[in-house]
């Protein structure tokens, strides 16, 4: 049996940290890592959707994970997403990740062209072969990738001994139950949609990776604690508070990650820049959205964390 404990818990998706010119800032990456260490999360998921990987170069992504590991090694579980939508660059990032001794690499399927499952398996196994000593996590996010992981493809991938599980961001929580049943105790499923962290954990996910954890890690840690204690009544209340905050964050035209970065400036005094075009930066007339969400977070933390 594998020891998957280092993955079991709350793992915020790491944001892209840019300087004032929109270039990757290693210093700001390291500051955000220190923030997560101080918050007591289990680990971080780097260079994923929340990390704006789709809009970054291979060198950008190498710079990010190098700065992350300089600060996080030995202190956080680090999963690095390496898919680049072509096999060659993805393998280069996989090999680079192994050299840095990340805990695991992850990969979405190839996007744009809808490839047959055999081609997807070849793509993933080629990436994994470039990091032969590193755990491999399948990233299922059909609403963005346009390709869904099936039980058949998951069975094929479990023949690769480096595959340890699935980060499941599909909105159908039953997918978590399906993949958890298929893999059993020797594999892990991570819950992807933050709005259904509770549902995903109840249906079989043993951990969560999410794009909004960064602005409210205390709430997800308290939610996880309530789940572990089987206090589902309070767990539901915290999940509802989290969802109200997410709905506020996405209530305007500004990209959610631009809003999230403003919340970090307001609540944590951390400046990690804006978002990279074509994502929409925080519109001046929508700054109130971040301010109100920041206040909602502080109120929920006082109510569900500090008073307990
Ligand atoms: C479609 C999408 O981005 N899903 C997010 C969620 O965490 C999402 O941000 C959250 O549920 C808010 O809608 C994650 O599942 C993916 C993610 O965090 C990442 O890859 O960085």
């Amino acid at each position: 049996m594998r020891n998957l404990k280092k993955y079991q818990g709350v793992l915020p998706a790491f944001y892209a940290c840019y300087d004032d010119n929109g270039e990757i800032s290693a210093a700001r990456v390291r500051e955000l890592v220190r923030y997560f260490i101080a918050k007591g999360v289990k680990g971080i998921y780097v260079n994923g959707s929340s990390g704006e990987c789709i809009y970054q170069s291979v060198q950008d992504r190498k710079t990010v994970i190098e700065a992350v590991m300089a600060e996080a090694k030995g202190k956080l579980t680090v999963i690095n997403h390496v898919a680049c939508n072509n096999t060659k660059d993805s393998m280069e990032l996989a090999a680079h990740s192994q050299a840095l001794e990340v805990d695991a690499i992850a990969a979405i399927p190839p996007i744009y062209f809808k490839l047959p499952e055999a081609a997807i398996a070849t793509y993933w196994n080629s990436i994994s072969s470039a990091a032969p000593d590193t755990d491999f996590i399948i990233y299922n996010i059909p609403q963005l990738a346009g390709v869904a992981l099936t039980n058949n493809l998951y069975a094929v991938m479990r023949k690769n001994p480096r595959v340890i599980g699935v980060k499941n961001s599909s909105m159908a929580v039953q997918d978590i139950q399906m993949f958890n049943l298929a893999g059993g105790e020797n594999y892990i499923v991570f819950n992807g949609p933050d709005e259904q962290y509770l549902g995903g954990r109840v249906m079989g996910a043993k951990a969560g990776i999410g794009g909004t954890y960064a602005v409210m890690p205390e709430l997800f840690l308290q939610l996880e604690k309530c789940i572990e204690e089987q206090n589902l009544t309070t767990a539901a209340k915290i999940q509802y508070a989290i969802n109200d905050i997410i709905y506020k964050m996405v209530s305007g035209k500004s990209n959610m990650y631009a809003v999230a970065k403003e919340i970090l400036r307001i609540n944590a005094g951390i400046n990690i820049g804006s978002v990279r075009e074509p994502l929409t930066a925080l519109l001046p007339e929508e700054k109130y959205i971040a301010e109100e969400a920041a206040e909602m977070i502080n109120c929920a933390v006082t109510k569900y964390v500090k008073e307990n």
Side-chain angles (χ1 to χ4, degrees):
M1 281 285 277
R2 285 193 187 96
N3 181 354
L4 297 170
K5 285 203 178 317
K6 68 178 175 177
Y7 298 110
Q8 292 172 354
V10 172
L11 292 90
F14 199 82
Y15 294 155
C17 301
Y18 298 121
D19 62 23
D20 296 341
N21 299 317
E23 298 304 323
I24 300 292
S25 163
R28 290 180 173 179
V29 168
R30 297 185 68 151
E31 183 181 14
L32 186 60
V33 173
R34 291 194 293 271
Y35 164 82
F36 284 126
I37 291 168
K39 291 295 182 182
V41 299
K42 189 74 173 184
I44 47 180
Y45 182 81
V46 186
N47 285 319
S49 316
S50 308
E52 304 171 41
C53 66
I54 297 297
Y55 301 128
Q56 289 170 359
S57 67
V58 169
Q59 186 52 54
D60 283 337
R61 293 172 65 178
K62 284 183 175 180
T63 303
V64 170
I65 192 61
E66 287 166 4
V68 163
M69 292 309 287
E71 206 70 52
K73 194 170 181 181
K75 297 173 184 167
L76 292 174
T77 296
V78 178
I79 303 169
N80 191 34
H81 176 254
V82 298
C84 291
N85 209 35
N86 72 77
T87 303
K88 177 178 175 292
D89 289 347
S90 306
M91 290 177 73
E92 181 177 337
L93 285 182
H96 178 260
S97 300
Q98 176 160 301
L100 291 170
E101 297 182 345
V102 302
D103 293 281
I105 59 174
I108 58 175
I111 61 177
Y112 193 78
F113 294 116
K114 302 276 185 294
L115 301 183
E117 291 197 346
I120 298 172
T122 301
Y123 171 75
W124 276 335
N125 285 322
S126 298
I127 294 170
S128 177
S129 70
D133 305 322
T134 305
D135 291 344
F136 185 92
I137 297 167
I138 293 167
Y139 185 167
N140 183 42
I141 188 163
Q143 66 272 39
L144 295 187
V147 179
L149 178 68
T150 63
N151 249 344
N152 176 61
L153 179 52
Y154 188 31
V156 168
M157 289 308 300
R158 289 198 305 275
K159 293 174 184 166
N160 176 342
R162 293 182 290 270
V163 170
I164 64 160
V166 182
K167 171 180 185 260
N168 189 72
S169 291
S170 68
M171 297 309 287
V173 73
Q174 73 187 70
D175 290 347
I176 288 178
Q177 186 271 335
M178 181 174 72
F179 297 136
N180 193 48
L181 181 66
E185 288 303 309
N186 212 25
Y187 293 84
I188 186 169
V189 179
F190 297 83
N191 179 76
D194 306 8
E195 299 87 338
Q196 50 187 352
Y197 184 97
L198 173 57
R201 284 281 283 112
V202 170
M203 287 292 268
K206 296 290 186 295
I209 292 172
T212 67
Y213 297 13
V215 299
M216 45 185 156
E218 302 89 343
L219 292 181
F220 281 95
L221 288 167
Q222 189 69 9
L223 173 53
E224 176 57 32
K225 182 171 177 285
C226 288
I227 294 167
E228 286 164 9
E229 295 169 352
Q230 289 294 304
N231 179 358
L232 301 187
T233 303
T234 304
K237 289 176 182 172
I238 297 173
Q239 180 72 77
Y240 299 161
I242 285 170
N243 291 7
D244 286 344
I245 292 160
I246 295 173
Y247 302 151
K248 169 62 72 176
M249 290 173 69
V250 299
S251 62
K253 299 182 183 69
S254 309
N255 178 266
M256 186 190 81
Y257 300 118
V259 174
K261 293 177 183 182
E262 182 66 14
I263 293 170
L264 285 177
R265 270 186 285 272
I266 295 167
N267 277 355
I270 290 177
N271 178 14
I272 56 173
S274 183
V275 291
R276 192 169 272 184
E277 290 180 339
L279 297 177
T280 306
L282 181 66
L283 300 171
E285 65 272 22
E286 293 189 351
K287 200 164 180 215
Y288 78 90
I289 290 177
E291 291 161 352
E292 289 179 7
E295 186 52 30
M296 290 168 72
I297 292 166
N298 295 334
C299 292
V301 169
T302 300
K303 183 172 182 179
Y304 294 111
V305 183
K306 290 179 179 158
E307 289 175 358
N308 283 283

